[in-house]
């Protein structure tokens, strides 16, 4: 955040003015003073923390964060001198003033406001631990403070500890979680104040705030829902199919109205258990808007398990909010990693770090949401304070990763216990993680906001699910031949590609995997929907990506063995609009040939599904069957529900508060196989965007547009392609090796997408759906 000028030899009179930020080629009277920066950051941090009653500690953490700038050494730094540790001094003062409890939590934040939250003690990874930072025998000396700081910053002798309700089943978790929240308030306030100073100095507008409030958004949303109801009510109802569809729309309206009526309930945990096709997306948003209005909450955060559908959902919400949509909805996911930027002080990084979720509607991924709650870096933690006071909708809640389920549940409890949040678990296959299910450390007092889910499943039953045993590839080819409209979902891309190549002689055969860029998938899906609507042959072979909210409607679906929740998602692509009787709409579950055997984790889920199928074969997707399935899964996983022992790490540090923040952040990885984006010059538009990126000095809106032409591949595969000279880094001098593009389309098939026959690549991507 520094602008270097010509080095000047400085004298240090007793009451000299100290500065936080300089301006190149500008006199010192234009610079930002430490008094101004410290006070403004403190007040902004206090404002952010007010929602969870921590404004006092946030205020003084903000005032102390740059205390080390009250030194001649840092003054020389602003005039071209060497780097100076300006963070540790404030951390030491915080502990000296407020002790080893509250003072230490503030010290973590102050010491790490640039480098990130580090480990409390033990082995540091990349950074010194907090204990080492505070002990002068480790590392460089901390410059001595000029006493003038005490004239500009007045600290209280004592501070009240925030009114946290500690987690009764996990000691230390509440304090560590609070530290990240406090850190969020500090780093966001620091970023914003610095950003404003430079913007004003350069006569640039500060493009922040002025978003439409939730009341206005709710008014637009209600008008959208009403208009939709009027259109569907006016639709013809002459044929049996049209009558069934009209009845389905009436039931969707009943579900919506009932859910919104529950919004007056006190904030906390909720579930919305509705079968696929029952209108969960808009019912959950309708509840959230009314709940936020009734309880003075600040925003709605919609958390989606798949990056592939985030744009689709965000677009639906923008449409529902009408003219306010563009100014109200932020979509945020993990495709861009600012840690790879070479110029750490670039304006572009500052802009990217400004993603602080201050808009009223946030649509994000589960990876972005939960990894941020356990993060250590300022760029990831910055948004956390804006989660407080929110209604959080967890779409497809059953998709939460099993190996991190317990720490995720603990974070959800913490948000509802101490941060004025409500969380809605929204799914057709509700995970059995309530205390009432006998789940260890399960959720208590979860309120259902759908009207009688058991009855809904009976009313919305649109398919007959059957397990038909082992099916060879030859058997599957027979099914493709016999059924002109059929969807077959398998568990990996190699199997899908193999089936497709065997079926090319049939009319209307399509392949859908994540090796297609989003624009390519959209084009294929458009043709698929057109064929289905016109009754033309349409044979689709896909991986599980088609289960992620893709709106297609087949008369017959086949699903390779997987978890029962995946089977339910597959069933949602069969007779989706209820135009056929359920007894004539089949979902056939099958066991593939041995060569396509599911990996261990998926095999465990498939085994649990088979165990439940023996008892619930007549109604495999009933509420009772789903509950039994999840109980079976959790019993098999046992201690692996917290595979990295995240909760134990919090518990072990509960007394000393020496939390291993950096270690926890490194180990809380929802996707352990690192995936990297690869740009595909799919068409003329993609070529133009890639060419623009090649010469860009800022990302601007390019990143959003390039999402349409990106394929996610394993990092090992990316390295292999680079070594083979088939891809190139784009604008490496500005962004580092952040962006790679395919060179030409020689490896990109017009039907199957990215294709690379190298065995190393195939092995790396084999299990990725």
């Amino acid at each position: 955040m520094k602008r270097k000028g010509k080095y000047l030899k400085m004298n240090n009179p007793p009451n000299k003015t100290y500065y936080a930020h300089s301006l190149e080629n500008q006199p010192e009277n234009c610079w930002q003073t430490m008094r101004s920066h410290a006070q403004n950051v403190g007040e902004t941090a206090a404002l952010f923390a007010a929602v969870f009653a921590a404004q006092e500690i946030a205020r003084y953490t903000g005032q102390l964060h740059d205390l080390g700038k009250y030194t001649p050494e840092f003054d020389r730094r602003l005039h071209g001198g060497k780097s100076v540790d300006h963070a540790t001094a404030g951390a030491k003062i915080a502990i000296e003033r407020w002790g080893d409890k509250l003072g230490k939590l503030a010290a973590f934040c102050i010491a790490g406001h640039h480098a990130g939250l580090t480990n409390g003690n033990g082995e540091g990874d990349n950074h010194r631990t907090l204990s080492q930072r505070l002990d002068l025998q480790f590392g460089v000396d901390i410059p001595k403070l000029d006493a003038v700081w005490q004239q500009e910053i007045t600290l209280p002798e004592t501070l009240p500890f925030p009114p946290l309700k500690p987690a009764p089943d996990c000691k230390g978790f509440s304090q560590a979680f609070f530290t990240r929240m406090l850190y969020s308030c500090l780093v966001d306030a620091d970023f914003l104040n610095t950003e404003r100073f430079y913007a004003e100095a350069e006569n640039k507008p500060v493009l922040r705030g002025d978003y439409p409030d939730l009341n206005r958004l709710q008014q637009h949303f209600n008008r959208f829902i009403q208009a939709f109801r009027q259109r569907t009510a006016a639709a013809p109802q002459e044929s049996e199919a049209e009558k069934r569809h009209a009845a389905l729309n009436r039931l969707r309206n009943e579900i919506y109205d009932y859910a919104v009526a529950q919004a007056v309930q006190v904030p906390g945990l909720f579930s919305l258990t509705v079968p696929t096709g029952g209108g969960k997306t808009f019912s959950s948003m309708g509840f959230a808007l009314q709940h936020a209005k009734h309880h003075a909450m600040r925003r709605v955060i919609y958390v989606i398990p798949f990056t592939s559908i985030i744009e689709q959902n965000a677009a639906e919400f923008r449409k529902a909010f009408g003219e306010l949509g563009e100014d109200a909805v932020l979509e945020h996911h993990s495709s861009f990693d600012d840690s790879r930027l070479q110029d750490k002080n670039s304006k572009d990084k500052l802009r990217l770090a400004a993603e602080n979720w201050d808009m009223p509607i946030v649509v994000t991924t589960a990876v972005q949401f939960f990894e941020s709650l356990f993060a250590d870096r300022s760029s990831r933690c910055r948004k956390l304070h804006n989660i407080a006071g929110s209604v959080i909708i967890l779409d497809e809640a059953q998709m939460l990763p099993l190996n991190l389920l317990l720490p995720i549940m603990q974070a959800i409890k913490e948000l509802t216990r101490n941060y004025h949040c409500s969380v809605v678990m929204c799914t057709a296959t509700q995970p059995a993680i309530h205390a009432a299910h006998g789940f260890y450390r399960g959720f208590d007092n979860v309120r259902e906001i759908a009207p009688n889910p058991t009855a809904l499943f009976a009313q919305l039953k649109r398919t007959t699910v059957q397990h038909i045993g082992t099916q060879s590839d030859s058997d599957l080819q027979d099914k493709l031949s016999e059924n002109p409209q059929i969807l077959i979902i398998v568990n990996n891309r190699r199997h899908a590609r193999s089936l497709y190549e065997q079926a090319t002689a049939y009319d209307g055969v399509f392949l859908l995997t994540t090796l297609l860029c989003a624009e390519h998938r959209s084009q294929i899906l458009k043709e698929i929907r057109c064929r289905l609507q016109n009754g033309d042959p349409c044979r689709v072979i896909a991986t599980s990506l088609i289960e992620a909210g893709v709106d297609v409607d087949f008369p017959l679906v086949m699903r390779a063995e997987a978890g029962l929740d995946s089977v339910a998602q597959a069933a949602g692509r069969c007779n989706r609009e209820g135009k056929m009787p359920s007894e004539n709409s089949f979902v056939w579950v099958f066991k593939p040939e041995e060569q396509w055997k599911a990996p261990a984790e998926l095999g465990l889920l498939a085994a649990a599904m088979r165990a439940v199928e023996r008892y619930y074969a007549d109604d495999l997707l009933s509420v009772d069957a789903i509950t039994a399935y999840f109980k079976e899964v959790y019993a098999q996983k046992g201690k692996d529900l917290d595979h990295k022992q995240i909760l134990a790490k919090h518990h072990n540090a509960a007394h000393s508060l020496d939390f291993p923040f950096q270690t926890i952040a490194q180990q809380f990885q929802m996707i352990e196989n690192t995936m990297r984006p690869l740009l595909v010059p799919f068409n003329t538009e993609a070529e133009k965007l890639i060419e623009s990126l090649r010469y860009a000095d800022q990302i601007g809106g390019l990143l959003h547009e390039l999402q349409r032409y990106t394929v996610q591949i394993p990092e090992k595969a990316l390295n292999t392609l680079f070594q083979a000279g088939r891809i190139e880094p784009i604008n490496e001098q500005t962004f580092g090796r952040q962006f790679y593009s395919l060179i030409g389309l020689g490896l990109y098939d017009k039907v199957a997408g990215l294709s690379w026959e190298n065995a190393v690549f195939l092995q790396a991507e084999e299990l990725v759906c």
Side-chain angles (χ1 to χ4, degrees):
M1 304 293 179
K2 310 175 188 69
R3 306 292 175 93
K4 297 179 183 178
K6 185 178 178 181
Y7 177 82
L8 298 174
K9 184 176 181 180
M10 300 297 299
N11 295 317
N12 297 296
N15 293 314
K16 80 173 276 22
T17 299
Y18 285 92
Y19 298 94
H21 300 106
S22 61
L23 288 168
E24 189 172 7
N25 300 320
Q26 294 292 322
E28 289 187 3
N29 62 3
C30 295
W31 294 5
Q32 186 181 35
T33 66
M34 264 303 300
R35 180 196 291 269
S36 171
H37 183 59
Q39 293 296 328
N40 286 328
V41 171
E43 291 309 307
T44 303
L47 179 67
F48 291 158
V51 70
F52 49 96
Q55 52 265 51
E56 288 305 298
I57 182 61
R59 174 177 290 109
Y60 296 109
T61 299
Q63 291 188 17
L64 287 175
H65 80 287
D66 272 354
L67 197 66
K69 294 182 178 181
Y70 280 104
T71 61
E73 289 85 348
F74 187 82
D75 207 10
R76 286 193 286 271
R77 167 62 175 162
L78 290 180
H79 292 81
K82 65 180 182 179
S83 296
V84 177
D85 178 351
H86 66 270
T88 305
K92 289 178 67 69
I93 294 295
I95 290 181
E96 291 171 3
R97 182 62 61 101
W98 302 307
D100 288 336
K101 296 298 182 183
L102 188 59
K104 178 173 282 189
L105 302 187
F108 269 115
C109 302
I110 296 167
H113 74 272
H114 286 309
L117 292 170
T118 189
N119 291 344
N121 59 18
E123 292 296 323
D125 186 359
N126 301 325
H127 304 291
R128 290 174 294 162
T129 65
L130 181 64
S131 297
Q132 291 169 340
R133 289 279 296 272
L134 298 174
D135 190 335
L136 294 184
Q137 68 177 310
F138 293 95
V140 298
D141 290 343
I142 302 171
K144 183 178 179 181
L145 296 171
D146 190 320
V148 72
W149 80 266
Q150 297 178 357
Q151 301 173 26
E152 299 187 357
I153 298 176
T154 303
L155 302 177
E157 289 299 322
T158 61
L159 277 177
F161 206 93
L164 293 176
K165 299 175 184 176
D169 50 3
C170 183
K171 291 183 179 180
F173 193 89
S174 294
Q175 290 87 345
F177 198 94
F178 170 77
T179 304
R180 295 188 193 91
M181 281 289 186
L182 179 62
Y183 181 63
S184 169
C185 296
L186 168 61
V187 296
D188 194 27
D190 188 22
F191 270 119
L192 289 174
N193 184 255
T194 303
E195 180 185 69
R196 178 174 290 275
F197 168 71
Y198 284 121
E200 291 177 349
E202 296 169 9
N203 294 315
K204 294 181 178 179
V206 180
L207 302 176
R208 291 201 167 276
D210 196 27
Y211 304 122
D213 62 41
L214 287 180
N215 287 336
R216 291 180 64 202
L217 292 174
Q218 186 189 34
Q219 292 169 9
H220 281 68
F221 187 81
N222 289 345
R223 286 199 289 269
F224 172 83
I225 294 295
Q226 188 60 35
F228 177 79
R229 289 183 174 184
Q230 290 172 353
R231 289 195 304 273
T232 55
Q237 301 178 24
E238 297 173 358
S239 68
E240 288 301 316
E242 289 168 343
K243 290 177 181 178
R244 280 192 292 269
H245 189 58
L248 173 60
N249 281 329
R250 288 193 295 271
L251 185 56
R252 287 169 173 165
N253 293 341
E254 292 173 14
I255 294 168
Y256 178 92
D257 292 339
Y258 185 91
V260 172
Q262 307 312 304
V264 297
Q265 296 194 55
V266 297
L269 284 166
F270 298 91
S271 58
L272 178 63
T273 310
V274 177
T276 301
K280 293 189 302 294
T281 301
F282 285 136
S283 291
S284 60
M285 180 58 74
F287 166 86
L289 291 170
Q290 182 63 22
H291 190 67
K293 177 181 178 180
H294 191 80
H295 296 287
M297 301 169 92
R298 304 187 299 171
R299 62 184 43 82
V300 177
I301 303 175
Y302 199 94
V303 182
I304 299 172
F306 304 103
T307 302
S308 58
I309 60 170
I310 188 172
E311 289 187 5
Q312 171 185 308
N313 285 64
E316 286 185 12
F317 290 138
R318 288 192 186 99
K319 182 179 178 182
F321 294 128
E323 63 190 38
L324 302 179
E326 289 297 325
D327 296 326
V329 180
L330 168 71
E331 58 182 88
H332 188 194
H333 39 85
S334 308
S335 294
F336 184 81
D337 181 3
D338 58 58
S339 69
R340 295 179 183 273
L341 287 167
Q342 288 201 330
D343 180 4
K344 300 299 182 183
N345 294 316
S346 69
K347 293 181 182 179
D348 193 46
K349 182 185 177 185
L350 187 65
R351 190 199 63 77
L352 288 166
E355 292 280 9
N356 63 350
W357 288 13
D358 60 351
M359 291 177 73
I361 307 293
V362 177
V363 184
T364 189
T365 61
V367 171
Q368 179 66 232
F369 183 82
F370 287 108
E371 287 190 359
S372 294
L373 290 174
F374 290 87
D376 61 334
R377 288 166 39 201
S378 61
S379 58
R380 295 297 296 272
C381 290
R382 180 178 176 180
K383 67 181 81 73
L384 297 185
H385 70 90
N386 276 326
I387 295 176
S390 298
V391 185
I392 301 158
I393 301 168
L394 300 182
D395 188 35
E396 306 299 352
Q398 81 285 349
M399 295 295 296
L400 296 174
L402 291 173
N403 63 335
L404 293 171
L405 184 60
L406 289 181
I408 285 173
M409 290 175 62
Q410 201 67 46
I412 291 171
K413 293 178 189 177
E414 196 66 27
L415 288 170
T416 58
R417 182 190 298 114
N418 287 314
Y419 297 93
H420 192 42
C421 289
S422 284
V423 177
V424 183
M425 292 176 291
C426 180
T427 177
T429 51
Q430 204 66 241
I433 51 179
H434 303 176
H437 296 133
F439 189 90
Y440 176 62
R441 292 179 172 172
F443 290 140
D444 285 311
N445 192 30
V446 181
R447 278 76 48 82
E448 177 61 58
I449 61 173
N452 193 347
T454 301
L456 281 180
F457 275 73
Q459 291 173 278
L460 284 169
K461 184 177 180 180
R462 300 190 300 282
T463 64
T464 298
V465 181
Q466 298 174 338
H467 197 300
I468 61 172
T470 300
Q471 296 285 293
S472 67
D473 282 6
S474 177
D475 294 329
L476 296 176
Q477 291 299 319
D478 289 342
K479 300 295 190 300
L480 286 165
S481 173
E482 296 162 2
N483 298 276
Q485 290 193 342
I486 182 174
L487 168 64
I488 299 179
I489 305 173
V490 295
N491 289 326
N492 64 63
R493 296 187 293 218
R494 288 198 306 118
H495 193 189
R497 180 68 180 260
S498 177
L499 286 175
Y500 171 80
E501 289 176 346
Q502 297 173 55
T504 53
Y506 305 133
D507 186 16
V509 182
F510 299 91
L511 176 65
L512 284 173
T513 77
T514 51
L515 289 180
L516 304 166
C517 69
E519 179 64 25
H520 195 175
R521 287 200 303 269
S522 295
Q523 293 177 9
I524 294 173
L525 282 167
K526 183 178 180 180
E527 186 174 356
I528 287 171
R529 293 187 181 104
C530 184
R531 281 179 166 267
L532 289 172
Q533 187 174 358
N534 295 336
D536 298 330
C538 187
R539 300 168 169 96
V540 176
I541 301 161
T543 59
S544 60
L545 76 88
I546 202 167
E547 298 169 358
V550 178
D551 187 5
V552 289
D553 191 351
F554 284 84
L556 173 63
V557 172
M558 297 186 68
R559 181 55 165 103
E561 282 188 341
L564 189 53
D565 52 330
S566 294
V567 173
Q569 290 294 324
R573 314 311 127 191
C574 180
N575 194 24
R576 186 176 180 85
E577 294 301 323
K579 295 179 179 179
M580 297 170 57
S582 61
E583 58 269 22
N584 295 338
S585 304
F586 291 100
V587 176
W588 289 334
V589 181
F590 66 95
K591 183 178 180 179
E593 290 180 316
E594 186 66 22
Q595 65 172 319
W596 309 120
K597 182 180 178 180
E601 181 71 18
L602 192 55
L604 181 150
L605 302 180
M609 182 273 296
R610 290 193 300 269
V612 170
E613 194 264 343
R614 291 197 293 268
Y615 299 97
Y616 294 92
D618 291 341
D619 195 359
L620 194 54
L621 301 185
S622 66
V623 173
D624 289 343
I626 295 296
T627 299
Y629 162 75
F630 279 113
K631 284 185 175 181
E632 179 72 18
V633 170
Y634 301 147
Q636 291 185 33
K637 291 293 290 185
K639 293 182 179 179
D640 279 345
L641 295 175
D642 185 5
H643 183 65
K644 298 292 186 180
Q645 296 295 295
I646 301 295
L647 296 185
K649 290 177 174 62
H650 287 88
H651 179 86
N652 294 339
H655 178 71
S656 66
L657 302 186
D658 283 318
F659 298 109
F661 287 110
Q662 191 175 43
T663 299
I664 289 170
Q666 290 168 347
Q667 294 183 349
F668 190 94
Q669 299 292 321
M670 293 180 68
I671 302 176
E672 294 194 5
N673 294 325
T674 304
M675 303 294 285
R676 295 288 304 277
L678 176 63
L679 303 174
V680 178
F682 178 69
N683 55 21
T684 303
E685 176 66 19
E687 291 173 350
K688 289 179 179 178
L689 290 170
I690 293 170
E691 193 66 13
S692 296
L693 180 64
R694 196 182 301 276
Y695 301 104
D697 59 2
Q698 299 185 45
I699 298 297
L702 275 175
L703 179 63
H704 178 79
E705 296 179 74
L706 283 166
Q707 289 298 314
R708 304 289 300 161
Y709 305 102
T710 299
V711 174
Q712 297 286 336
I713 64 173
E715 188 158 20
K716 189 174 182 179
L718 187 94
N719 293 335
T720 299
L721 290 169
F722 180 71
Q723 292 297 324
R726 306 308 295 267
I727 63 175
E728 61 173 331
I730 302 297
N731 205 342
E732 184 177 357
Q733 69 275 15
T734 303
F735 303 117
R737 294 196 170 182
Q738 172 76 247
F739 301 109
Y740 285 85
S741 175
L742 199 61
I743 299 174
L745 291 175
L747 298 180
Y748 193 88
D749 187 87
K750 64 180 181 180
V751 171
L754 187 64
S755 176
W756 179 248
E757 300 303 324
N758 183 284
V760 175
F761 177 80
L762 290 175
Q763 182 181 10
E765 59 91 50
E766 177 179 357
L767 303 180
V768 181
C769 295

